[in-house]
Amino acid sequence: MANVAGIPVYKEIGATPAPATDTDSAPVVIVGAGPVGLAMALDLGRRGHAVTVLNRLDFVAHCSKAICFSKRSLDILDRLGAGDAVTDKGVVWNIGKVFWGGDDAPVYQFDMLPVKDQKRPGFVNIQQYYVEEYLLDEVSKLPNVEIRWGHAVEDVTPGAEGVTLDVTAGGQGYRLRADWLIACDGSRSTVRDRMGLDFEGRVFEDNFLIADIRMTHEMPPERWFWFDPPFNPGRSALMHRQPDDVWRLDFQLGWNIDREAAIRPENVEPFVRAMLGEGVAFEREWYSVYTFQCRRMARFVHGRVIFAGDSAHLVSPFGARGCNGGFADIDNLGWKLDLVLRGAADAALIETYNDEAIATADENILNSTRSTDFLTPKSTASRALRDAVLELAGAHAFARPFVNSGRLSTAVSYPASLLSTPDAETWAGGVPPGSPVLDAPHEDGWLLDALGDDFVLISHGWDGAAPEGVTRLEVSGLAAERLALPAGGATLVRPDQYVAARWQHPTTEAIAAALSRARGALLKGDACLH
Amino acid sequence: MSALTLTPNLSGHDDLYQSLVALHEGLSEEDSLKVWAKLALLLANQIGDRRVIEAAIAAARPAA
Ligand SMILES: Cc1cc2nc3c(=O)[nH]c(=O)nc-3n(C[C@H](O)[C@H](O)[C@H](O)COP(=O)(O)OP(=O)(O)OC[C@H]3O[C@@H](n4cnc5c(N)ncnc54)[C@H](O)[C@@H]3O)c2cc1C
C-alpha cells in the first residue's frame, strides 16, 4: 500500500501482515509512528515494556514538515539514545536575526542558548524524516517493541480497564484489545474523532508558501526572518538552512489566494529568484502551502486513552513548538506510565500528565498565538502597532524586544506541579521545583547525560543515605553552582530531568517524603481519571 | 488601579495638547494610528512599570 496518492516516500518499509487470529491483545498500544509515537515507543520500550505501534502508512514519508528541533528535544533524544545521530546530521544554530524592509542590518537579534557550557546547542535544523529514521533505528534494537506498518485504526471502544480497537491491515480487519492506548495519530486523529472528543481553538486567516530548495549558498547557520522585504512587499519571509544543502524558504502569501496555483513551480520560482537573485541555481525539493491553527483538546487523558503530540494540540510553525511540544509530552508521560504499569504508582499519577502536558500546550499556544498576531495583524490598529514597533526598533534598542517573528521553543516549567515539594528554605536562584535541570559540564561529560532514566539525587558534598529507588550523583563546580547548591545541599530530580525538591540541609526522611510525593503518593485515588 | 496617577501631574496642558494635535498634521488616518502607537510605546518604556501601564490600559478602555 506504499505510494499512497500524493505522499512522497522517504524510506520504504513494507506492510506487516495482519495477525493470524481476528482478535489480539497487547498491554500498551501506540497509534501513529510519527516522531511522537516513535519517541513514546522508544521511552516505554527502553523501560522494558511490551509495546505495539500501529501506523497507517507502511513507509516513512518525505514531507516538508518540522525542521527546527530545540535543545530540550535534543536533551530528551539524548536520554532515548538518538541525540547524537540527530545532532551530528543537523545544522547547529543559536542566533536568530530579524530584518525589516531592505535594510541589511537586523532590527532585532536573539540567542537561543544564553547560558553557555551546555552539551547541546539552542537548536538544530534537520528534516523531520531523518529524526523519524533515527528514532526508528533505536526502536528496532528493542525486541519488545513491535511496529505494525500499514495497520490503520478504524474505530475505538473505550472501557474501564482498557480499550478495544478495530484495525484494518491489507484489507483485512481485526480487533485489538489494549490495557492502555496512547494516541499519537496526528492532527486529524482517528482516535479523537471516534471518541467524539473536542479540539477547540483558532484558525488563522493566512497562507504561507514553503519552498524547500537545494542549492549551495554561503550564509551563517542562523534563522533569518524578514518583515516587509523588497522581495515580498508588505509580507514576511524566512530563510533557514537544513542538512544536505537544502534550504527552507517561507513566504507569507495572505488569505485570498489560489492554493493549488501557488505551489506551481512557475509561481514559486519568481519568489525564490526575487529573494536570492535572478541568476541563482537551485533545485526544487518540495513546495507546499500551509495555513495554521492553534487548538488543543480540553483534556489529554480519557481513562485508559492518552493523547500526545499533534493529536492533542496544534500550534503555528513560527515558534517550532509542534514536534518539540510532542516530545515534551512523551518525556512527561513515559516515566509515569512506567511506574503505573509496574504497579509502583497509582493510576492517578497519569492525571498529572494531563495537568503538566496541558501547561506546556497552553504556553506553546499562547506564544504561538502572540507571534501570529504580530505576523498577521487582525485590524488596522494592530497593524499600526506592529509597524510602529518595527519602525522604532530600527532606531532604538528599547523597542527591539517587542519584535516577534516567533518565540522559539524552550522547556516549559510547571511551578504548580502537584508532584513538586515546595522550597522550605530561601534560595538565591538555581533551579526551583517544577523546572528542568540546567546542563553543565560534569566530570568528563555532561550533567544531563549522567542523570539516566530514573529518579536521581544530585548532591554537593552531602554524605547522608538516600532512600531506596534513588540513584546518587555527586556534583561540584559549575553543575552545583547552576543548581545553587551550597556545600551539603541536594536536589531530587524526576526521571524527566525536572526538579522535584531541593534542600540546603537534606535529611533521608525529607528526601523519602519528596520521592513518594513525586511518585503521586499524595494524589487522590483514580476518582479524577475521567 | 492605585498604581496610576489620575490627578493632574504636569503643567502646560494647552501646550501639550497642541503638540499632540500637531503630531498628526498632514498624516493619513493610517499613519496617525501608527504615530499614536509609537507614542504609546515610547511612554510605556519610559514608565517602565507594567502595573502602571496595565492600569492605564484599563483606564483607557471604553466602558463595557
Ligand atoms: C510546515 C511545517 C513546519 C513545521 N516545523 C516545525 C518545526 O520546525 N519544529 C517543530 O517542533 N514542529 C514543526 N512542525 C510540526 C510537526 O511537524 C508536528 O508537530 C509533528 O509532525 C507531530 O508529530 P506527531 O507524531 O504527533 O504526528 P504526525 O507526524 O502527524 O504523525 C501521526 C502518525 O499517525 C499515523 N496515523 C494517523 N491516523 C492513523 C490511524 N487511524 N491508524 C494508524 N495510524 C495513523 C500517521 O500515518 C502518522 O504516521 C511543523 C509542521 C509543519 C506543517
Side-chain angles (χ1 to χ4, degrees):
Chain A
M1 85 152 238
N3 302 317
V4 174
I7 306 183
V9 176
Y10 167 67
K11 187 175 181 169
E12 196 71 64
I13 291 169
T16 313
T21 54
D22 58 10
T23 49
D24 194 7
S25 70
V28 179
V29 170
I30 296 171
V31 187
V36 178
L38 288 171
M40 183 79 265
L42 188 53
D43 199 343
L44 291 172
R46 285 165 50 92
R47 294 180 191 278
H49 300 287
V51 178
T52 306
V53 184
L54 306 174
N55 197 52
R56 177 187 283 149
L57 304 178
D58 62 1
F59 56 89
V60 177
H62 188 289
C63 289
S64 290
K65 290 184 81 178
I67 60 166
C68 302
F69 290 84
S70 68
K71 174 180 186 308
R72 180 65 199 149
S73 289
L74 295 174
D75 294 341
I76 295 168
L77 291 170
D78 272 339
R79 188 173 62 71
L80 299 177
D84 284 341
V86 170
T87 313
D88 292 349
K89 179 73 189 175
V91 174
V92 166
W93 68 275
N94 291 305
I95 302 293
K97 288 182 178 158
V98 182
F99 302 90
W100 181 48
D103 212 335
D104 287 342
V107 285
Y108 178 60
Q109 167 163 345
F110 55 83
D111 183 348
M112 290 309 299
L113 195 73
V115 180
K116 306 299 172 193
D117 290 319
Q118 306 195 67
K119 178 181 180 187
R120 293 306 183 193
F123 267 90
V124 303
N125 283 358
I126 181 170
Q127 291 87 333
Q128 181 168 321
Y129 49 80
Y130 281 126
V131 175
E132 293 175 17
E133 180 181 17
Y134 301 149
L135 286 168
L136 206 49
D137 288 344
E138 290 307 308
V139 170
S140 313
K141 294 177 188 166
L142 300 171
N144 49 323
V145 179
E146 183 201 3
I147 304 185
R148 298 183 182 175
W149 299 94
H151 288 226
V153 171
E154 308 290 353
D155 210 352
V156 183
T157 314
E161 297 291 304
V163 192
T164 305
L165 300 173
D166 288 303
V167 185
T168 52
Q172 203 179 321
Y174 71 97
R175 305 200 103 189
L176 177 61
R177 199 202 159 279
D179 296 340
W180 291 90
L181 179 75
I182 309 168
C184 304
D185 52 347
S187 59
R188 284 184 227 138
S189 172
T190 307
V191 177
R192 193 186 64 223
D193 186 57
R194 290 295 181 272
M195 288 176 68
L197 298 169
D198 59 284
F199 199 40
E200 297 298 321
R202 273 173 80 180
V203 177
F204 291 84
E205 297 197 342
D206 210 337
N207 288 285
F208 290 80
L209 168 68
I210 283 190
D212 278 349
I213 58 167
R214 222 174 254 269
M215 65 171 177
T216 46
H217 183 70
E218 282 311 313
M219 193 183 106
E222 297 174 342
R223 176 185 191 262
W224 284 16
F225 190 98
W226 289 262
F227 286 103
D228 193 23
F231 52 84
N232 195 20
R235 305 214 157 95
S236 66
L238 174 72
M239 179 171 187
H240 224 168
R241 176 180 219 138
Q242 305 172 53
D244 308 334
D245 284 328
V246 175
W247 294 77
R248 169 151 302 175
L249 311 181
D250 186 310
F251 303 92
Q252 187 178 28
L253 297 178
W255 186 232
N256 288 312
I257 60 155
D258 177 347
R259 302 178 65 195
E260 295 262 313
I263 58 172
R264 280 187 219 127
E266 68 266 28
N267 294 326
V268 175
E269 284 159 16
F271 274 103
V272 178
R273 294 190 199 291
M275 180 185 224
L276 299 167
E278 277 308 313
V280 64
F282 67 93
E283 265 170 57
R284 159 193 162 143
E285 181 85 0
W286 183 253
Y287 300 156
S288 63
V289 167
Y290 66 92
T291 55
F292 50 74
Q293 315 174 7
C294 288
R295 291 171 183 268
R296 77 159 165 87
M297 298 178 71
R299 292 182 49 82
F300 298 174
V301 177
H302 292 266
R304 293 298 186 92
V305 182
I306 307 171
F307 292 82
D310 274 15
S311 68
H313 44 72
L314 272 187
V315 291
S316 85
F318 283 95
R321 290 167 181 269
C323 196
N324 290 312
F327 284 156
D329 290 345
I330 68 92
D331 186 46
N332 190 286
L333 180 57
W335 66 273
K336 294 175 181 174
L337 193 53
D338 170 56
L339 288 177
V340 172
L341 287 168
R342 287 197 282 116
D346 189 274
L349 184 59
I350 302 301
E351 183 65 14
T352 68
Y353 163 75
N354 189 71
D355 299 342
E356 294 178 350
I358 282 177
T360 303
D362 282 347
E363 184 164 320
N364 287 334
I365 288 172
L366 177 70
N367 278 286
S368 170
T369 303
R370 287 172 166 178
S371 301
T372 22
D373 283 339
F374 197 91
L375 255 69
T376 307
K378 303 294 172 297
S379 66
T380 325
S382 56
R383 175 168 290 274
L385 178 59
R386 199 278 303 272
D387 291 346
V389 165
L390 290 169
E391 279 183 27
L392 287 168
H396 306 294
F398 93 86
R400 287 171 202 154
F402 284 114
V403 175
N404 190 341
S405 72
R407 301 284 184 229
L408 280 93
S409 178
T410 53
V412 172
S413 294
Y414 320 124
S417 174
L418 297 174
L419 304 179
S420 296
T421 300
D423 285 340
E425 297 147 311
T426 309
W427 291 79
V431 180
S435 293
V437 169
L438 191 52
D439 199 13
H442 171 71
E443 295 180 345
D444 296 333
W446 300 95
L447 179 60
L448 294 185
D449 278 343
L451 292 176
D453 288 320
D454 298 310
F455 279 93
V456 179
L457 186 76
I458 303 180
S459 58
H460 179 43
W462 183 66
D463 47 21
E468 209 179 307
V470 175
T471 313
R472 289 294 297 265
L473 186 71
E474 177 65 22
V475 299
S476 57
L478 200 53
E481 220 173 89
R482 286 186 173 173
L483 291 165
L485 282 182
T491 294
L492 180 66
V493 182
R494 305 182 346 181
D496 55 8
Q497 305 177 341
Y498 275 70
V499 170
R502 56 179 179 170
W503 304 267
Q504 288 157 16
H505 304 284
T507 62
T508 307
E509 297 70 47
I511 298 166
L515 176 66
S516 66
R517 182 174 184 150
R519 287 173 159 171
L522 300 187
L523 304 169
K524 292 255 160 45
D526 50 13
C528 45
L529 275 183
H530 288 292
Chain B
M1 206 168 279
S2 57
L4 188 66
T5 308
L6 290 167
T7 49
N9 193 34
L10 46 77
S11 59
H13 291 86
D14 290 351
D15 292 338
L16 185 58
Y17 194 91
Q18 188 185 354
S19 299
L20 288 173
V21 171
L23 175 63
H24 297 278
E25 248 159 52
L27 296 186
S28 65
E29 301 226 335
E30 219 167 86
D31 284 342
S32 263
L33 261 183
K34 193 160 67 186
V35 160
W36 276 131
K38 280 186 173 180
L39 186 64
L41 291 165
L42 286 157
L43 293 175
N45 186 63
Q46 184 63 38
I47 291 164
D49 179 341
R50 249 179 48 213
R51 272 180 329 143
V52 178
I53 300 162
E54 293 290 353
I57 289 173
R61 182 170 291 132

